[in-house]
């Protein structure tokens, strides 16, 4: 990261290798988001100044900034950017493109994180239906979207016990599919299993309280 950046630092701002080196530096600093963010933002300025015609590069850079903001806990700001990136890929490649669906799943996760539970469920249902049609019921991304949809429903403060029971069955089905497709130790599978365990504890506590 730093070694590559220092090698090309003296090149003109619009030099291709200098641009690549800045991108590599930002990636190398991924585990230190407070250091990575200013690099990504500086890179964004240069991309828009010298490569404004490269829409893919702009969208990828915005997506990286959004992920960095997530890591810093700046979820509202991340959601704004993720909406822009999603709209950008939809306009560029169409709503049925895998890239748009991936970015849609990122929006869904951020909607849940920021407490927009009603919108998350509305958006998630449409996105899940699209993912099933384009990618299939057991595609890893489809399962992530379904998990995100259930997660938003369970976190909704107005959720009913009947809805929670239905969510448990849906989440159990998601976990079983993820185990079959991805394996029991895959991060997405483990995350869904954790949510399922927590949901069952929540339902059990409701029964005890009654």
């Amino acid at each position: 990261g730093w070694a590559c950046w220092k090698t090309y630092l003296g090149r003109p701002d619009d030099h291709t290798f200098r641009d690549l080196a800045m991108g590599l530096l930002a990636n190398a600093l991924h585990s230190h988001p407070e250091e990575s963010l200013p690099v990504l933002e500086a890179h964004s300025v240069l991309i828009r100044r010298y490569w404004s015609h490269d829409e893919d590069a702009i969208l990828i850079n915005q997506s990286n900034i959004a992920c960095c903001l997530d890591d810093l806990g700046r979820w509202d700001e991340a959601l704004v950017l993720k909406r822009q990136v999603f709209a950008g890929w939809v306009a560029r490649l169409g709503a049925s493109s895998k890239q748009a669906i991936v970015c849609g799943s990122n929006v869904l996760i951020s909607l849940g994180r920021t407490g927009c539970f009603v919108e998350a469920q509305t958006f998630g249902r449409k996105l899940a239906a699209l993912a099933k049609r384009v990618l299939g019921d057991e595609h890893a991304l489809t399962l992530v979207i379904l998990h995100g949809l259930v997660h938003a429903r369970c976190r909704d403060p107005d959720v009913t016990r009947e809805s929670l029971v239905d969510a448990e069955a849906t989440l159990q089905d998601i976990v079983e599919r993820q185990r079959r497709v991805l394996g029991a130790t895959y991060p997405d599978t483990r995350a869904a299993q954790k949510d399922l365990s927590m949901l069952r504890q929540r339902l059990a506590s409701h029964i005890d309280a009654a």
Side-chain angles (χ1 to χ4, degrees), residues 13-209:
D13 285 354
D14 60 347
H15 194 282
T16 299
F17 287 168
R18 187 182 190 278
D19 172 64
L20 292 173
M22 183 174 280
L24 289 172
L25 175 60
N27 289 335
L29 294 172
H30 177 72
S31 59
H32 302 279
E34 69 284 350
E35 297 179 28
S36 180
L37 182 58
V39 177
L40 287 167
E41 290 175 334
H43 196 199
S44 176
V45 172
L46 293 179
I47 292 173
R48 292 175 184 278
R49 181 181 301 163
Y50 298 110
W51 297 281
S52 58
H53 60 282
D54 192 341
E55 296 179 30
D56 288 6
I58 292 172
L59 292 172
I60 291 169
N61 172 262
Q62 283 185 303
S63 183
N64 289 336
I65 292 175
C67 290
C68 198
L69 290 170
D70 264 340
D71 291 339
L72 291 169
R74 294 162 60 176
W75 296 336
D76 289 326
E77 295 172 75
L79 176 56
V80 171
L81 269 183
K82 288 180 182 182
R83 289 184 193 273
Q84 293 175 2
V85 172
F86 174 64
W89 284 118
V90 169
R92 182 152 175 73
L93 301 177
S96 298
S97 66
K98 186 176 180 181
Q99 189 64 45
I101 296 173
V102 168
C103 291
S105 71
N106 292 335
V107 172
L108 175 60
I109 291 170
S110 281
L111 287 170
R113 281 178 176 163
T114 54
C116 302
F117 303 123
V118 174
E119 183 182 356
Q121 292 175 72
T122 301
F123 180 78
R125 281 191 289 269
K126 293 178 181 178
L127 187 65
L130 180 63
K132 287 179 180 180
R133 178 170 61 80
V134 175
L135 303 173
D137 289 352
E138 296 196 344
H139 191 280
L141 181 54
T142 302
L143 296 173
V144 165
I145 293 168
L146 290 170
H147 179 199
L149 176 56
V150 172
H151 189 73
R153 191 199 319 178
C154 292
R155 291 188 63 196
D156 187 337
D158 296 324
V159 67
T160 63
R161 189 179 188 284
E162 181 182 2
S163 185
L164 287 176
V165 171
D166 181 64
E168 180 191 12
T170 302
L171 196 50
Q172 175 64 46
D173 179 63
I174 292 169
V175 169
E176 289 175 357
R177 293 188 190 192
Q178 287 178 320
R179 285 175 176 166
R180 184 167 61 250
V181 175
L182 304 172
T185 61
Y186 195 77
D188 291 342
T189 308
R190 294 174 66 180
Q193 180 63 64
K194 180 180 177 181
D195 276 359
L196 178 60
S197 298
M198 293 175 64
L199 177 55
R200 284 174 172 167
Q201 291 175 8
R202 183 178 175 185
L203 286 168
S205 68
H206 281 189
I207 294 174
D208 293 340

